[in-house]
Amino acid sequence: MGKIVPLQQAVAENLKPGDTVAFEGFTHLIPHAAAHEAIRQGIGDLTLIRMTPDIVYDQMIGMGLARKVVFSYAGNPGVGLLRRMRDAIENGHPRSIETVEHSHSAMAQAYEAGAAGLPCAIFRGYKGAGLKAVNPDIRSVICPFTGEELAAVPAHRPDVTFIHAQKANRRGDVLIEGIIGVQKEAALAASRVVVTVEEIVEDFAGLHPNLCILPHWTITAIAEVPGGAHPSYAHGYYDRDNAAYLDWDKVSSDREAFAAWMQDNVLAVGPEAFADRVKGLRK
Amino acid sequence: MGKIVPLQQAVAENLKPGDTVAFEGFTHLIPHAAAHEAIRQGIGDLTLIRMTPDIVYDQMIGMGLARKVVFSYAGNPGVGLLRRMRDAIENGHPRSIETVEHSHSAMAQAYEAGAAGLPCAIFRGYKGAGLKAVNPDIRSVICPFTGEELAAVPAHRPDVTFIHAQKANRRGDVLIEGIIGVQKEAALAASRVVVTVEEIVEDFAGLHPNLCILPHWTITAIAEVPGGAHPSYAHGYYDRDNAAYLDWDKVSSDREAFAAWMQDNVLAVGPEAFADRVKGLRK
Amino acid sequence: MSDFTPTEMMTIAAARQLTSKDVCFVGIGAPSAACNVARLTHAPDITLIYESGTIGTAPDVLPLSIGDGELCETAVSTVSVPEMFRYWLMGGRISIGFLGAAQLDRFGNINTTVIGDYHHPKVRLPGGGGAPEIASSCGEVYITLKQAKRAMVEKIDFFTSFGHGEGGDHRQRLGIKTKGPTLLITDLAIWRPDPETKEFVVRSLHQGVTREMVQETCGWTVRFADDLEETPPPTHEELETLRALNERTRLAHSGGKAA
Amino acid sequence: MSDFTPTEMMTIAAARQLTSKDVCFVGIGAPSAACNVARLTHAPDITLIYESGTIGTAPDVLPLSIGDGELCETAVSTVSVPEMFRYWLMGGRISIGFLGAAQLDRFGNINTTVIGDYHHPKVRLPGGGGAPEIASSCGEVYITLKQAKRAMVEKIDFFTSFGHGEGGDHRQRLGIKTKGPTLLITDLAIWRPDPETKEFVVRSLHQGVTREMVQETCGWTVRFADDLEETPPPTHEELETLRALNERTRLAHSGGKAA
């Protein structure tokens, strides 16, 4: 477990057509490099889970690799809508996709339940909310002590979760720092876990005991991809490329511009391109 | 919120006869000084919640201050049984106590549910376990997706939780490091939270962002009591006094020895006694 | 100060409603600006929480996203997102939640999900994110919105988050214990719900705004309070604070290069 | 080595069952010693987890309590106790859970709760702690116990944790998916459940132990395997490792002072 391999191999060995997959990251540490590798390998028919599908799912959807998206907020953070995802939902281009829509709270707790090996998450939520009527995965249970009706959603159990992290050590333990989002839960909920990291260090000696660390035996494969979160950011390494998020709004607004961008920036390059992209963003 | 006061005042203002109270700590950071203050003030008729009632609850029970104990493991860690608690349960001395018994998993998740404002915790547990037959607070719900029967227990919602922590800052934020146990959950589940700390520092500048911190507005009162966890320990300050745990087995085995010990070591002294007790245990 | 934009007035009017005792669940955009102006003026001890897990944050510039590094670097603590929703939001620790809206009705119900039919939408909007539970778990909800007929509608296309439903005691009937929307601040006015019907009523017009301007930009027939007030214009300090914050933000997000 | 105590044999026999691939939920006492001997000899990469939240710990001395500072200081990560029980135990990530017992029956059911009636106990024992869910959530359960008639009984007074119940497929009938007790290591013998009935059967006698000694210290009629083996005695390395560990522990817990 936790073997260190090239990204191409990590993706090829762990993501299969038809898989349910989460590329997680909450604004911070979004695994762009891993998603681009999946796009290059053309692995399709995927069910994509993510709280905040943003550019990276817009790209996968625009390339026709998704058949279903499970999500709670589909936007380009701080910018606007996701135009390729809209095109798929509104116009069926390049293919129609199924959507399963939740609230953030439900999604976060569905991952949490997955990490805990439970079949469902139970919480106080969705009161008066319209999603209950359109998502049959939103059900309820009655508290056996108070009689209160609580919301229930199925646990997320991805076939594979991809995350980006700051560091791995030689043994394959992984460190996540800063805005840690739902990555620990998404990783522990999955059958297989692939992690891209900014760097591989010898060991984690001297770290504070209470940091967010995934032990090596919970990880399937690790690939070192400096800059691999770009245009998202990696706390301690480089800043968010806000301009790239703004640019995406233009790129994604046109089917041909999108195709050309994907050709130039994803299909024609490799994971090594990411290091260059963050050069001007390093602190 | 989070006002810094003497321990006497913090206890007097926040613990009332008949309260449901948790003095939490999982081996580490057990709030002995706070419990001793409660004993000195003679606040009784308490419902005591704790995963691992150990010496400190043995003392409160032996002094007749408890009417009920909610727990999952009642032992002197690494040593043996709790003799004052046994005397209460087996012989009704100095008074009989009611017990509500859970597993660790149930207790931890009942605090977690309390922190989350939920009426109950739902989990996979108690399969084939005898506690289900003797604790009416162990019930079940059916997963609305898989049909699996899951265990349910009521959330813990103490009137007041006492914890011991390493540091507070002047604003009243509290830092807990090392084995953090269930203290964050026990604090957030309670109506009032009293924290004893090893020291009060000016601010928390430079701390790692992902440490266990309770913001000042979640805390009712803070008292500075160096050594306040003794004979438990405080990571970074002093070691566990294993000899004291071994000694307790002898002290507590005899009603008169117990009474004399409590007189000398609790009733006749104040919180300032704790600093001396850890002098030889500091690193 | 008389030289200010409607958006500046909206932001400052929202900021004024906040105190140092508040714990706010902050969204991006106008709410974030309002909360930080409050923090930098009359409410220095206000607690700002962003759903990315950053608790007690004090950013020097406004974040572009809900999870900018600045939020984490200045926070008292950064927790996981499941913890954020479980212990902090659902746990009932937030006094005020801010929500925006693509569509809003007179009872504070909000749609940010779809325009048109859910299954065949005319426009697929981002969805609710944290809103469904912000609306029910925060002590009260403040809504900020630029007025427009397509935004303030008679009937929203989708109930992303529940305000007062059909009005009256509809929240209580659903078992919701929090107050729901208690304030609507637009670029033109300050609205509060009628204590009985829960319909939003205009309580205060911003300087230079007429009743007609409010009605023309609202899709329902507007009720005005009998004792309609005029919103005090931004003070020099308020406006300078907001503008300096926006300028710092602009510089930071353009990589420090002056435009 | 022929000069060893029954407790040393028990601990070393348990250690031998562990591999570098195992993730063990470790209790205090013999399990802790066994797991650490394994780590210090043939299983250097074994993952040891204590319920105090310490994951991947490598203590130089044995902890007196389940939450000694040494565990945290040497751990890969220290998590909260709710997380420990939710993500790590209930999440099905533990391959082997160790349990001790005050009373044990032939089907691996364990009592550590009360002697006598639950509501009017003769002896109030500590209770289950993590055991009820360790017994059901770990891939398999190893039990260590010093043999005695009062400990190995025909019928336990209380089902603190469920082993194989009445035997056979009782676990499956309750919907439990894990294997349950697959190994019982005492100071006299190694026992494994019969594949069908799930009754513990003696598979190996420690050096110098007779069938009579096993039966005399067991409250039920003991079954012995047809191909009964003799447990290899501790090797020099095993015994030296265990004794050095115990000596370091003794010195550490007496404050570094030699007794």
Side-chain angles (χ1 to χ4, degrees), chain A residues 119-133:
Chain A
C120 61
I122 291 182
F123 60 103
R124 186 178 287 124
Y126 285 127
K127 301 240 173 184
L131 282 178
K132 280 197 290 196

Side-chain angles (χ1 to χ4, degrees), chain B residues 102-119:
Chain B
H102 283 289
S103 68
H104 273 353
S105 184
M107 287 286 286
Q109 295 181 75
Y111 278 124
E112 205 276 348
L118 292 171

Side-chain angles (χ1 to χ4, degrees), chain B residues 27 74 90 101 103 109 130 233, chain D residues 65 67 86 118 124 126 133 159:
Chain B
T27 308
E90 295 169 17
E101 187 169 0
S103 68
Q109 295 181 75
Y233 71 105
Chain D
S65 81
R86 282 181 76 79
Y118 181 80
R124 174 65 234 199
E133 282 77 25
F159 265 61

Side-chain angles (χ1 to χ4, degrees), chain B residues 17-238:
Chain B
D19 271 356
T20 295
V21 54
F23 292 82
E24 265 299 346
F26 202 88
T27 308
H28 180 216
L29 293 176
I30 297 167
H32 275 264
H36 284 189
E37 184 58 36
I39 291 169
R40 272 192 297 276
Q41 295 188 17
I43 303 164
D45 205 30
L46 300 172
T47 293
L48 300 174
I49 306 181
R50 187 153 165 227
M51 293 185 66
T52 52
D54 55 10
I55 290 184
V56 82
Y57 278 12
D58 213 29
Q59 294 170 348
M60 296 179 81
I61 293 165
M63 296 298 279
L65 301 176
R67 66 174 184 84
K68 184 171 169 180
V69 182
V70 184
F71 74 104
S72 44
Y73 186 89
N76 181 344
V79 178
L81 303 176
L82 289 183
R83 299 183 184 284
R84 293 299 93 222
M85 185 167 169
R86 279 189 60 189
D87 207 7
I89 294 174
E90 295 169 17
N91 310 310
H93 177 87
R95 58 172 287 182
S96 61
I97 57 171
E98 188 186 342
T99 57
V100 176
E101 187 169 0
H102 283 289
S103 68
H104 273 353
S105 184
M107 287 286 286
Q109 295 181 75
Y111 278 124
E112 205 276 348
L118 292 171
C120 62
I122 292 183
F123 60 104
R124 186 179 286 125
Y126 285 127
K127 301 239 171 182
L131 283 178
K132 278 196 292 196
V134 297
N135 181 351
D137 273 351
I138 302 171
R139 300 185 190 172
S140 65
V141 300
I142 302 297
C143 170
F145 303 98
T146 63
E148 180 179 351
E149 185 179 354
L150 298 167
V153 296
H156 289 328
R157 303 302 300 260
D159 294 310
V160 51
T161 286
F162 289 87
I163 59 172
H164 186 74
Q166 276 98 344
K167 288 180 178 70
N169 62 24
R170 287 275 158 222
R171 194 169 58 176
D173 303 318
V174 167
L175 171 69
I176 309 172
E177 298 181 286
I179 290 176
I180 54 178
V182 74
Q183 282 98 305
K184 185 177 200 172
E185 289 75 16
L188 295 179
S191 304
R192 302 182 293 281
V193 182
V194 177
V195 186
T196 53
V197 295
E198 287 299 323
E199 62 174 330
I200 291 167
V201 299
E202 202 49 42
D203 63 47
F204 282 171
L207 283 189
H208 191 284
N210 301 130
L211 301 191
C212 179
I213 292 178
L214 287 165
H216 63 96
W217 47 276
T218 64
I219 308 287
T220 317
I222 294 170
E224 187 174 29
V225 186
H230 177 273
S232 171
Y233 71 105
H235 181 102
Y237 289 83
Y238 48 88

